[in-house]
Amino acid sequence: MRHLTLMRSRWALLIVSVMLAGLLAGCGTQNGGSTGNSTAANVGEPVKTTDGTYTNLTPAELKPMLDHKDFFLVDVHTPPEGRLPNTDARIPFDQVANRISELPADKGAKIVLSCRSGSMSSEASATLVKLGYTNIYNLKGGMNAWKDAGYEIVPEAK
């Protein structure tokens, strides 16, 4: 009888362990188990504006995101002085609101902005937040910080 009770306890422990492992595995990801958005899930420093929040990224945070790009990258510097690799669009920071049609229509789309020093892209980030965009990232320190970190800048064509 004691042996039977011990076996039942072991089976119960095994079943609970398997169920717990399955539960924990399901909790390891966000968005219903999708990891597609994980590159930016826990990076950056939130910047609050009067209209919402955008996130400042360091070059070290942006580099792995760029290696597994799942966002729209915009250079907002004027005049053009080079750009990050795989830039999708160039829209001067002071024209972002007027050229919104050149950005993803989904206001929840992940958009990363850059400029030379981070000043123009900060202003453009705040503008996009004001326009209702909710997934905006800014390269803090801009291309200067990117270059100082040893990463590639694509020069302007002559």
Side-chain angles (χ1 to χ4, degrees):
M1 185 74 163
R2 188 166 194 237
H3 178 69
L4 185 59
T5 302
L6 184 60
M7 282 182 53
R8 285 183 183 157
S9 296
R10 287 183 180 169
W11 273 109
L13 182 61
L14 177 63
I15 290 169
V16 169
S17 296
V18 169
M19 290 173 58
L20 184 59
L23 180 64
L24 290 175
C27 292
T29 59
Q30 298 177 357
N31 301 327
S34 170
T35 59
N37 203 18
S38 64
T39 57
N42 294 314
V43 298
E45 175 187 350
V47 177
K48 294 185 188 238
T49 71
T50 56
D51 301 298
T53 304
Y54 66 87
T55 303
N56 272 339
L57 297 172
T58 64
E61 291 167 326
L62 180 56
K63 177 63 170 129
M65 289 173 61
L66 199 55
D67 290 342
H68 304 283
K69 192 169 178 267
D70 66 347
F71 55 88
F72 193 79
L73 179 59
V74 184
D75 181 344
V76 298
H77 189 73
T78 184
E81 296 186 28
R83 58 185 165 79
L84 298 181
N86 299 316
T87 296
D88 296 300
R90 175 170 274 142
I91 304 171
F93 78 101
D94 57 352
Q95 295 178 25
V96 167
N98 296 331
R99 293 175 57 183
I100 205 116
S101 64
E102 296 176 44
L103 297 172
D106 176 5
K107 291 196 175 187
K110 190 185 316 180
I111 299 174
V112 177
L113 303 174
S114 70
C115 67
R116 188 187 70 218
S117 69
S119 178
M120 293 177 184
S121 56
S122 292
E123 190 172 327
S125 294
T127 298
L128 289 178
V129 167
K130 185 175 186 172
L131 293 171
Y133 283 84
T134 59
N135 205 4
I136 301 300
Y137 295 82
N138 171 55
L139 177 58
K140 186 176 182 179
M143 288 186 292
N144 290 342
W146 181 262
K147 187 176 177 182
D148 289 347
Y151 302 129
E152 171 191 11
I153 298 291
V154 178
E156 292 301 316
K158 299 203 181 212

